[in-house]
Structures are given as structure tokens and as C-alpha cells.
Amino acid sequence: MVKQALRLLRSIRWFGGELARCRIVVCAVGELEPVSQRELEALGAEVRTVTRFHPANPTANRHQLIAELLDAPEDILFLLDCDTIVTRDPLPFLERSTLQAKIAPTPTVSDGVFEQLFAH
């Protein structure tokens, strides 16, 4: 995952436009090897270590970072998984006054369940 995070960070710095100049925080579950932390920091990332959310739900670990950044001074919190690559500046597509989210493209529950949930 560190290699993927490094690729993501490089893609942000190379192709991210305004995003390339933003503060970037990398969330690690548990301690990183010193060489990995140095590589991320060399690309301008702030590395945060968080505790595992729950072993039964490893994809929820990313939510630990939100708690870390609740008091951050920035207007926008833009979360990207480490297996993402940035190919152009995404900031023009974000609205600062609204919550925007995308459901992960993994089959978790059926469309019918989502429709019922959102109707409620």
C-alpha cells in the first residue's frame, strides 16, 4: 500500500494542478518503516498514524483519518484511496458548500437496499 500511496502522491504533484499545492495527509494504520515515511515526506506529505478501526471492517480504516482532521483549517477534505491516480486537477469539480461522496465500487448491498435507505 505504501507503493500505491507513493504513486498517488506523485500523480497529485505532477498532474494535480491546484491540488498539487494543497496540504496532503497520508493515513497509515500502524507504524510505517522509516524509509517509507521518508519517501512520503520527501514528496511533501504529512504522515499520520492511526489505530485500526476494526479487523472485520478494514475498509473503514480510512475513517480514522477524518477524526484526525476534524479541526483542520482547510475548507475541503478530499479523501482518496491509495490505489487512485490523479490525471488532472479535480478541485474545479468540487463544490465547497456541499457534501459530495461516491460509493466505493464494490458490491456491498443491493441497489434495492440503497434505494430503501436513501428513501428513508
Side-chain angles (χ1 to χ4, degrees):
M1 289 191 181
V2 172
K3 295 294 181 198
Q4 289 178 318
L6 285 165
R7 282 187 209 103
L8 169 58
L9 192 50
R10 285 185 189 107
S11 73
I12 291 170
R13 297 299 188 213
W14 294 342
F15 309 117
E18 183 183 346
L19 181 65
R21 294 181 295 280
C22 292
R23 175 179 173 217
I24 297 177
V25 180
V26 173
C27 176
V29 178
E31 294 295 323
L32 288 176
E33 292 182 14
V35 67
S36 297
Q37 182 151 346
R38 283 192 301 273
E39 286 180 294
L40 291 163
E41 290 171 345
L43 290 166
E46 178 184 326
V47 179
R48 298 279 183 102
T49 303
V50 298
T51 58
R52 185 170 304 283
F53 180 77
H54 191 279
N57 191 0
T59 60
N61 289 328
R62 71 194 75 191
H63 301 298
Q64 300 294 70
L65 181 61
I66 295 171
E68 287 277 315
L69 299 175
L70 279 178
D71 296 327
E74 289 81 13
D75 294 355
I76 295 177
L77 175 60
F78 183 53
L79 295 175
L80 296 172
D81 283 339
C82 65
D83 60 354
T84 304
I85 296 294
V86 171
T87 59
R88 66 179 180 173
D89 190 353
L91 294 182
F93 301 99
L94 301 178
E95 294 183 28
R96 295 186 191 295
S97 62
T98 61
L99 170 67
Q100 295 174 281
K102 180 185 180 300
I103 296 170
T106 56
T108 54
V109 297
S110 69
D111 289 342
V113 170
F114 271 120
E115 289 174 15
Q116 290 175 358
L117 175 66
F118 288 113
H120 178 70

